[in-house]
């Protein structure tokens, strides 16, 4: 299966290990992965700040890099949601719409397209899953406590395949962590308070790691954990799924 | 142009293309096997009380006993004896002293514990609200499962006023602590006649 | 415009235990809502019906309003029309003057808050007594409500006790909610008995009958409306619904969404005035017809003011209602208020992480978080954001549109970091205040890929 890998800018720059784990995992599962070399950013930071008009250059570059693939996969629910909802190109409407329909967040790609039933991974630790809002409510990666519909969780379904892992559910399982893009600096006080409250619930569960499908949420939580001198570490779900003892 | 025309014109200009009304399919709404039990359970969970009685005469005695206490008791139900019609014109200053009122309800709603009361059943619109304690009386066969069915049975245009009353007056405005008896009745007992 | 949500929120959060209490209390309400919704297998279907009924209402509003007016007038209700807050207040003032009214009781009406009716009447030397317990508490304290359903939710019982001690001579230090509520009951019963005018809001106005419904738990709307010789009900024109049957859908959703109750204690259906009574309805526009014309934002007018979006909002719970500096706070307020005054409320659509929980709980399916996103675009387009923000966004756009420059900046010490708005390389960087920065790795993923995969 031919897959194009989209590594969002902040993962490329600050968390290359998440990109590496994603690539290795997809290869391990039999995908023929290519990484278009001129990719940068999906444009979400501008668009969510009200500057969607300034994300046109990103759109053009994104389309240039990712046209013609059957599947595009990225280890970030948030960036995938942005592409799905807002990628556009006035000149080449068809290419943009084709991309919007073929881009997948990593975990949904594994459960829905590859239909993964087993993963050769082992992670003997207590882990709390942080559901990112864009992944959960935006991409419908798991059921939501607000809605009265049957329960499911694509990331949990995958984590349960990992040997030795002990999953701990936070009390408010789908509360936002407060990252929110530029919200995290323009609303610093609320953002940090939200993050601290998420961290507290995972601490109460005595987890070793907080994982999730969105590095942006994890970066925010990691910043708080480190400042507090906590022993809890953050780790992207791709790193767990790619981990062998 | 008057404000009325300005507003209506602006709305007519700005409103979107006509969207259809949905068809409300009553078959897909909740129905309870035992509506009475559901009604009782829900009403008691929101501070009310429900008592099943075999015949209205039970209440006659109760009313008679209440009247001997010297408290201001109001009866609006013919089947219980003399109806206190004079309350229709009683000044609020006096109504404020009503200790207990006996009022007939038209129907009860199992899903939420509410009882529908027409103005004619209240005699004075204030009665069910201003009394300290409210006694509601209705027939068991008039308990419906849900509000959709209730609205099919009542006619909101029939009289000048009507209300669903679900239990005693309450508030949680101080620290979300539930307090019964905010402005209206401090207690509501619904007598359901079998 | 000087106060901004972020600054007011920071002040609120400075008292962390109180913030935790506020957050937990509202989360508890959200959980009660979940429980109530779970009790109905048809919950999602009900939301869909409510949404469709409201869509229909908005699409045929001018006709429905005329129908309502005609029926209401035939029932003996006087209907007034107000283009804006000023006209609304003046209509009420005229009625007050005509009857020489001095004693006024008012039950909860967010519209009168929006129109600042109390302040207006105060300027004319007329006092209005708010009769909802929470509203009476904040009125004594000269504060605005912080929540549209729970007006005093920002206060603790100790605060209420001190306020009542001052105004109602209750025992000093007696913080028992039962005791305090009883004191308010006695105090307000006197106000009801002597009232000459009752002002209420309207939860639903029915086009086919000309009647309207007012919902309360306390019974204060009824105590006023059935006592006073004059009753004025104030409504934004979007309170209309087509048929009486539709009340079933909305009343099933309203209280469950608001507080988790199966229905409010009192759902009062007003059809005609009492024989000795005058009944008025004031139908208000105040920017609503303009909002109706904004395709992206018109469905905010479907709102039934249940406040479920407040209770679920992780930002609202931690910043308090006053941080929104408007009559209607929370997520719904953040999509309604920019329409009323874009400049003054330009900060509100940004007071959200766009988590989407608000849209999920909304009983009439308003796409609140999507509208927040869209308002951001409008606000930027209209020029209501700081110039510095615009410059940094332009810089970021330039870098991300040029892969070579992006990689070049990334090369040495991950300099591209400067272009992330949340990583501004500045001593005053708000990120760094309470969080560590991510450490910069030697190689980017791109670098690693070239070394390891590209032959």
């Amino acid at each position: 299966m031919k897959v194009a890998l989209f590594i969002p800018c902040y993962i490329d720059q600050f968390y290359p290990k998440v990109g590496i784990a994603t690539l290795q995992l997809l290869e391990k599962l039999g995908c023929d992965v290519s990484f278009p070399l001129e990719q940068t950013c999906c444009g979400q930071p501008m668009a969510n700040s009200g500057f969607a008009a300034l994300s046109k250059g990103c759109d053009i570059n994104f389309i240039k890099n990712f046209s013609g693939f059957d599947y595009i996969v990225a280890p970030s629910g948030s960036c995938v949601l942005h592409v799905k909802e807002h990628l556009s190109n006035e000149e080449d409407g068809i290419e943009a719409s084709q991309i919007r329909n073929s881009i997948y967040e990593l975990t949904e790609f594994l459960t829905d397209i590859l239909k993964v039933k087993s993963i050769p991974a082992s992670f003997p630790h207590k882990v709390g899953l942080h559901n990112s809002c864009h992944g959960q409510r935006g991409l419908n990666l798991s059921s939501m406590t607000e809605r009265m519909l049957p329960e499911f969780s694509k990331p949990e379904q995958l984590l349960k395949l990992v040997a030795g892992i002990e999953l701990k559910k936070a009390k408010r399982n789908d509360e936002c962590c407060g990252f929110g893009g530029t919200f995290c600096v323009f609303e610093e006080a609320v953002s940090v308070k939200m993050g601290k409250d998420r961290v507290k619930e995972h601490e109460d569960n005595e987890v070793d790691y907080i994982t999730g499908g969105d590095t942006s949420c994890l970066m925010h939580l990691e910043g708080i954990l480190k400042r507090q001198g906590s022993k809890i570490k953050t780790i992207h779900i791709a790193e767990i799924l790619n981990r062998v003892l | 142009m008057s404000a009325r025309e300005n507003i209506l014109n602006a709305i007519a200009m700005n409103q979107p293309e006509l969207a259809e009304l949905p068809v409300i399919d009553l078959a897909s709404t909740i129905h309870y096997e035992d509506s009475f039990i559901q009604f009782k359970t829900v009403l008691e969970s929101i501070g009310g009380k429900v008592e099943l009685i075999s015949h209205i005469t039970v209440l006659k005695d109760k009313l008679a006993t209440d009247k001997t206490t010297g408290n201001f008791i109001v009866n609006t139900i013919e089947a219980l004896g003399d109806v206190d019609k004079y309350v229709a014109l009683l000044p609020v200053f006096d109504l404020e002293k009503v200790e207990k009122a006996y009022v007939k309800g038209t129907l009860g709603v199992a899903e939420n514990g509410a009882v529908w009361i027409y103005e004619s059943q209240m005699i004075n619109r204030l009665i069910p609200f201003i009394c300290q304690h409210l006694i509601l009386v209705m027939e068991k066969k008039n308990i419906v499962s849900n509000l959709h069915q209730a609205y099919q049975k009542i006619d909101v245009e029939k009289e000048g006023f009507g209300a669903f009353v679900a239990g005693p007056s309450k508030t949680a405005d101080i620290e979300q602590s539930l307090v019964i008896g905010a402005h209206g009745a401090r207690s509501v007992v619904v007598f359901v006649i079998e | 415009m000087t106060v901004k949500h972020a600054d007011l929120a920071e002040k609120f959060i400075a008292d962390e235990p109180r913030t935790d209490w506020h957050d937990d209390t509202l989360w508890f309400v959200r959980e009660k809502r979940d429980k109530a919704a779970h009790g109905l297998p048809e919950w999602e279907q009900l939301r869909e019906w409510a949404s469709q009924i409201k869509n229909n209402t908005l699409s045929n509003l001018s006709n429905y309003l005329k129908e309502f007016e005609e029926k209401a007038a035939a029932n003996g209700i006087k209907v007034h029309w107000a283009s804006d807050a000023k006209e609304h207040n003046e209509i009420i003032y005229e009625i007050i003057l005509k009857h020489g009214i001095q004693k006024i009781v008012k039950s909860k009406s967010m519209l009168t808050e929006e129109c600042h009716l109390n302040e207006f009447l105060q300027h004319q030397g007329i006092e209005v007594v708010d009769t909802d317990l929470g509203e009476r508490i904040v009125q004594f304290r000269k504060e605005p409500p912080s929540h549209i359903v729970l007006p005093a939710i920002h206060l603790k019982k100790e605060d209420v006790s001190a306020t009542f001690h001052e105004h109602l001579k209750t025992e000093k230090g007696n913080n028992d909610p039962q005791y305090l509520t009883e004191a308010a009951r006695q105090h307000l019963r006197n106000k009801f008995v002597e009232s000459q005018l009752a002002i209420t809001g309207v939860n639903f106005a029915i086009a086919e009958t000309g009647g309207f419904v007012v919902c309360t738990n306390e019974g204060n709307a009824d105590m006023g409306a059935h006592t006073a010789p004059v009753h004025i009900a104030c409504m934004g024109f979007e309170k209309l619904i087509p048929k009486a049957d539709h009340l079933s859908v909305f009343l099933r959703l309203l209280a469950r969404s608001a507080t988790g109750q199966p229905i409010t204690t009192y759902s009062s259906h007003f059809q005609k005035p009492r024989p000795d009574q005058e009944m008025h309805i004031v139908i208000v526009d105040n920017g609503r017809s303009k909002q109706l014309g904004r395709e992206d934002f018109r469905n905010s007018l479907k709102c039934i003011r249940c406040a479920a979006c407040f209770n679920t909002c992780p930002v609202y719970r931690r910043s308090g209602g006053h941080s929104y500096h408007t009559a209607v706070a929370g997520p719904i307020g953040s999509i309604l208020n920019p329409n009323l005054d874009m400049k003054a409320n330009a900060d509100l659509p940004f007071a959200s992480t766009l988590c989407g929980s608000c849209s999920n709980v909304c009983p009439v399916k308003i796409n609140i978080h999507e509208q927040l996103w869209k308002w951001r675009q409008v606000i930027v387009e209209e020029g209501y954001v700081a110039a510095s923000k615009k410059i940094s966004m332009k810089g970021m756009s330039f870098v991300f549109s040029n892969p070579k420059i992006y990689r070049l900046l990334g090369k040495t010490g991950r300099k591209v970091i400067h272009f992330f708005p949340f990583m501004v390389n500045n001593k005053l960087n708000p990120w760094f205040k309470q969080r560590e920065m991510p450490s910069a790795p030697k190689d980017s993923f791109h670098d690693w890929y070239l070394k390891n995969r590209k032959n």
Side-chain angles (χ1 to χ4, degrees):
Chain A
M1 192 173 283
K2 274 185 94 67
V3 172
L5 182 62
F6 166 41
I7 296 299
C9 51
Y10 60 94
I11 296 182
D12 176 49
Q13 291 293 317
F14 308 122
Y15 297 92
K17 57 186 180 173
V18 174
I20 296 166
T22 306
L23 174 67
Q24 290 176 342
L25 178 65
L26 288 170
E27 288 175 341
K28 216 183 280 182
L29 295 168
C31 297
D32 179 4
V33 187
S34 43
F35 177 71
L37 289 168
E38 300 295 297
Q39 58 178 283
T40 58
C41 165
C42 64
Q44 178 173 210
M46 282 87 83
N48 281 11
S49 306
F51 293 84
L54 288 178
S55 64
K56 287 212 171 73
C58 284
D59 282 5
I60 292 167
N61 189 56
F62 198 92
I63 291 167
K64 215 187 278 174
N65 277 274
F66 288 100
S67 284
F69 289 98
D70 295 340
Y71 298 103
I72 304 157
V73 177
S76 161
S78 190
C79 302
V80 169
L81 181 68
H82 176 76
V83 171
K84 266 193 181 305
E85 288 187 336
H86 302 295
L87 184 81
S88 67
N89 186 351
E90 282 135 22
E91 296 149 38
D92 238 328
I94 302 155
E95 282 185 312
S97 100
Q98 198 245 326
I99 288 175
R100 289 198 303 269
N101 292 325
S102 53
I103 191 161
Y104 289 84
E105 183 273 342
L106 175 66
T107 61
E108 65 176 346
F109 182 72
L110 298 186
T111 57
D112 300 359
I113 304 298
L114 295 184
K115 303 196 191 300
V116 165
K117 293 282 180 286
S118 69
I119 290 179
S122 160
F123 197 73
H125 303 282
K126 277 191 202 169
V127 176
L129 171 65
H130 172 68
N131 289 295
S132 93
C133 303
H134 287 171
Q136 184 188 27
R137 299 193 184 84
L139 296 173
N140 206 20
L141 298 183
S142 59
S143 53
M144 305 149 227
T145 53
E146 303 96 358
R147 305 288 306 274
M148 304 302 142
L149 299 168
E151 268 187 53
F152 71 95
S153 165
K154 294 175 188 180
E156 244 181 70
Q157 184 187 328
L158 293 168
L159 287 170
K160 282 178 181 158
L161 301 174
V162 174
I165 198 165
E166 190 185 335
L167 280 176
K168 292 276 189 181
K169 206 166 244 178
K171 223 168 112 203
R172 300 183 192 174
N173 191 39
D174 51 12
E175 174 108 315
C176 175
C177 70
F179 172 71
T182 51
F183 180 88
C184 74
V185 284
F186 291 116
E187 287 269 3
E188 186 266 346
V190 185
S191 171
V192 170
K193 179 63 185 146
M194 286 168 70
K196 280 163 73 177
D197 291 351
R198 296 315 309 131
V199 162
K200 173 78 173 44
E201 284 185 16
H202 289 290
E203 269 170 352
D204 290 346
N205 281 346
E206 298 178 328
V207 300
D208 306 310
Y209 288 88
I210 299 172
T211 191
D214 257 301
T215 303
S216 46
C217 306
L218 296 176
M219 175 170 70
H220 165 66
L221 295 175
E222 181 190 41
I224 290 167
L225 287 164
K226 279 192 178 164
R227 178 63 60 89
Q228 292 180 343
S230 170
K231 281 185 289 188
I232 300 175
K233 293 183 277 291
T234 54
I235 186 167
H236 192 275
I237 190 166
E239 296 176 86
I240 294 181
L241 300 178
N242 189 46
R243 186 73 65 93
V244 267
L245 271 188
Chain B
M1 255 197 301
S2 70
R4 178 186 182 275
E5 271 127 37
N6 274 331
I7 295 168
L8 287 173
N9 287 346
I11 291 173
M13 210 162 71
N14 288 341
Q15 69 194 14
E17 217 177 290
L18 188 70
E20 290 300 313
L21 275 172
V23 178
I24 313 247
D25 170 23
L26 288 200
S28 65
T29 60
I30 201 158
H31 285 71
Y32 301 99
E33 254 176 55
D34 190 334
S35 292
F36 170 75
I37 291 293
Q38 178 68 19
F39 176 78
K40 183 177 162 79
T41 309
V42 174
L43 187 55
E44 299 198 335
S45 77
I46 53 177
K49 267 200 169 155
V50 179
E51 285 187 33
L52 192 62
I53 54 172
S54 53
H55 199 270
I56 196 154
T57 44
V58 182
L59 282 177
K60 264 186 171 170
D61 300 341
K62 203 176 144 48
L63 174 65
T65 318
D66 279 342
K67 290 234 176 185
T68 60
T69 58
N71 285 328
F72 189 173
I73 310 291
V74 171
N75 174 41
T76 66
I77 306 171
E78 259 177 53
L80 292 184
D82 291 343
V83 171
D84 298 313
K85 284 192 180 132
Y86 68 96
V87 297
L89 298 169
L90 207 61
V92 62
F93 181 78
D94 295 314
L95 284 174
E96 211 274 312
K97 298 182 183 70
V98 174
E99 179 66 17
K100 196 185 271 187
Y102 284 70
V103 178
K104 183 113 203 280
T106 304
L107 58 78
V109 187
E111 69 161 322
N112 58 27
V115 176
W116 174 262
I117 317 167
Y118 279 114
E119 179 170 21
S120 58
Q121 294 170 312
M122 305 172 185
I123 295 188
N124 183 318
R125 291 185 191 184
L126 260 177
I127 286 293
F129 306 97
I130 205 164
C131 64
Q132 297 291 330
H133 302 279
L134 178 63
I135 304 285
L136 290 172
V137 185
M138 58 169 213
E139 285 165 52
K140 195 178 172 193
K141 65 171 171 29
N142 292 333
I143 297 177
V144 296
S145 273
N146 62 50
L147 266 185
H148 306 288
Q149 295 170 327
Y151 276 101
Q152 291 201 322
K153 289 201 165 189
I154 59 173
D155 177 4
V156 298
E157 284 187 275
K158 201 172 112 191
E159 299 189 11
F161 179 74
F164 281 112
V165 175
S169 159
K170 59 181 83 66
T171 183
D173 273 351
I174 302 174
E175 279 201 10
Q176 276 294 290
S177 309
L178 180 68
V179 177
I180 301 287
H183 299 296
R186 297 174 191 272
S187 75
V188 172
V189 185
V190 181
F191 285 92
V192 177
I193 306 165
E194 247 182 315
Chain C
M1 179 68 207
T2 45
V3 280
K4 290 284 171 207
H5 179 272
D7 301 326
L8 295 168
E10 189 172 359
K11 274 190 203 140
F12 187 82
I13 292 174
D15 187 346
E16 198 164 350
R18 203 178 177 111
T19 305
D20 287 336
W21 175 82
H22 189 262
D23 171 51
D24 284 338
T25 307
L26 288 160
W27 181 257
F28 177 62
V29 181
R30 154 73 209 271
E31 285 183 319
K32 285 197 290 185
R33 171 260 173 212
D34 292 351
K35 214 178 145 206
H38 273 294
L40 294 181
E42 68 265 36
W43 182 257
E44 298 295 337
Q45 176 67 66
L46 270 179
R47 290 176 72 222
E48 184 56 34
W49 285 336
S51 171
Q52 288 177 18
I53 294 168
K54 281 288 183 180
N55 283 338
N56 168 270
T57 308
L58 294 180
S59 75
N60 193 28
L61 196 51
S62 56
N63 287 332
Y64 285 142
L65 279 167
K66 284 183 229 163
E67 188 186 355
F68 174 75
E69 180 188 38
E70 196 185 312
K71 292 282 166 62
N75 290 332
I77 302 174
K78 292 185 182 167
V79 180
H80 309 257
W81 300 78
S83 302
D84 53 24
K86 190 167 162 277
E87 284 185 17
H88 164 265
N89 294 345
E90 281 166 356
I91 288 166
I92 293 172
Y93 185 47
E94 252 177 56
I95 298 170
I96 290 170
L97 286 183
K98 189 183 130 204
H99 293 273
I101 287 164
Q102 281 158 337
K103 309 275 188 186
I104 305 172
V105 289
K106 179 162 79 71
S107 65
K108 207 187 283 159
S109 149
M110 290 322 297
L111 178 69
T112 60
E113 291 291 330
E114 177 188 317
C115 295
H116 300 288
L117 175 69
N118 285 11
E119 291 93 317
F120 169 85
L121 290 177
Q122 216 162 21
H123 279 298
Q124 321 297 328
I126 297 163
E127 190 208 358
V128 177
V129 174
D130 284 333
T131 57
D132 172 83
L133 175 60
E135 285 206 323
R136 190 62 179 148
I137 294 167
V138 294
Q139 186 176 41
F140 277 143
R141 300 170 63 93
K142 298 187 167 50
E143 290 174 3
S146 68
H147 186 290
I148 58 174
V149 172
L150 318 163
I153 196 66
H154 60 291
L155 297 171
K156 308 217 35 167
K157 57 187 179 204
E158 292 78 11
D159 305 323
V160 178
S161 170
T163 301
F164 278 14
H165 174 63
E166 188 190 335
H167 294 272
L168 301 179
K169 307 280 174 286
T170 54
E171 266 170 48
K172 197 173 180 162
N174 190 335
N175 304 332
D176 177 21
Q178 180 88 46
Y179 168 75
L180 297 169
T181 302
E182 182 62 30
R185 177 183 172 102
Q186 299 308 333
H187 159 67
L188 287 165
R189 280 220 156 199
N190 291 332
K191 300 289 179 190
F192 287 126
V193 167
E194 57 191 26
S195 68
Q196 299 163 301
L197 165 65
I199 300 173
T200 69
V202 168
N203 287 90
F204 304 99
I206 304 116
E208 73 168 353
T209 68
F212 60 95
V213 173
V214 181
C215 304
T216 73
N217 278 321
E218 298 181 3
N220 55 317
D222 290 285
M223 288 291 283
H226 308 320
T227 299
V230 184
H231 174 190
I232 306 176
C234 306
M235 59 177 265
F237 65 56
E238 81 284 13
K239 292 288 165 192
L240 223 60
I241 58 171
K243 295 168 188 297
D245 268 357
H246 296 146
L247 285 167
S248 59
V249 174
F250 292 104
L251 291 184
R252 296 186 83 195
L253 287 163
L254 179 64
R256 287 185 173 96
S257 297
T259 59
Q261 293 171 262
I263 190 169
T264 49
T265 305
Y266 305 107
S267 311
S268 298
H269 296 52
F270 294 85
Q271 189 66 21
K272 290 175 188 164
R274 306 189 306 269
D276 55 345
Q277 187 194 30
E278 224 179 86
M279 193 180 277
H280 300 262
I281 287 182
V282 187
I283 300 174
V284 182
D285 183 336
N286 202 35
R288 286 163 176 78
S289 59
K290 193 175 165 198
Q291 185 88 328
L292 187 64
R294 297 180 191 268
E295 199 186 333
D296 285 341
F297 305 113
R298 67 165 57 110
N299 89 19
S300 60
L301 295 172
K302 288 154 74 179
C303 177
I304 58 170
R305 302 290 190 272
C306 71
C309 62
F310 286 53
N311 305 335
T312 203
C313 178
V315 176
Y316 174 86
R317 275 187 264 112
R318 290 173 181 84
S319 66
H322 292 154
S323 66
Y324 293 77
H325 55 77
T326 48
V328 178
I332 185 69
S334 297
I335 61 173
L336 290 172
N337 292 305
N339 176 59
L340 291 176
D341 185 342
M342 208 184 296
K343 189 168 179 235
N345 300 314
D347 55 327
L348 297 181
F350 294 92
S352 160
T353 60
L354 304 180
C355 79
S357 189
C358 46
S359 305
N360 269 352
V361 295
C362 180
V364 290
K365 289 193 159 183
I366 302 171
N367 56 335
I368 303 173
H369 73 294
E370 289 170 10
Q371 291 192 37
L372 287 166
W373 190 90
K374 285 175 175 167
W375 268 118
R376 293 179 184 189
Q377 313 305 323
V378 174
I379 283 161
V380 166
E381 204 173 301
E382 306 266 323
Y384 294 119
V385 288
S388 58
K389 199 169 178 180
K390 201 166 179 176
I391 291 167
S392 88
M393 286 294 156
K394 278 193 167 159
M396 194 160 58
S397 168
F398 175 73
V399 173
F400 288 144
S401 304
N402 294 280
K404 285 195 178 66
I405 293 169
Y406 163 75
R407 284 200 298 278
L408 191 70
L409 280 166
K411 274 281 180 262
T412 41
R414 311 265 74 88
K415 278 227 175 70
V416 77
I417 200 169
H418 303 182
F419 286 92
F420 286 85
F422 39 88
M423 298 283 168
V424 209
N425 193 16
N426 179 334
K427 265 190 292 188
L428 303 170
N429 179 357
W431 175 279
F432 194 63
K433 215 170 134 190
Q434 302 185 72
R435 284 166 291 209
E436 296 299 322
M437 311 273 253
S439 44
K442 201 172 126 286
D443 286 343
S444 68
F445 176 77
H446 191 274
D447 298 334
W448 179 92
Y449 186 82
L450 289 182
K451 283 182 199 165
N452 293 278
R453 287 291 186 281
K454 212 73 190 167
N455 306 314

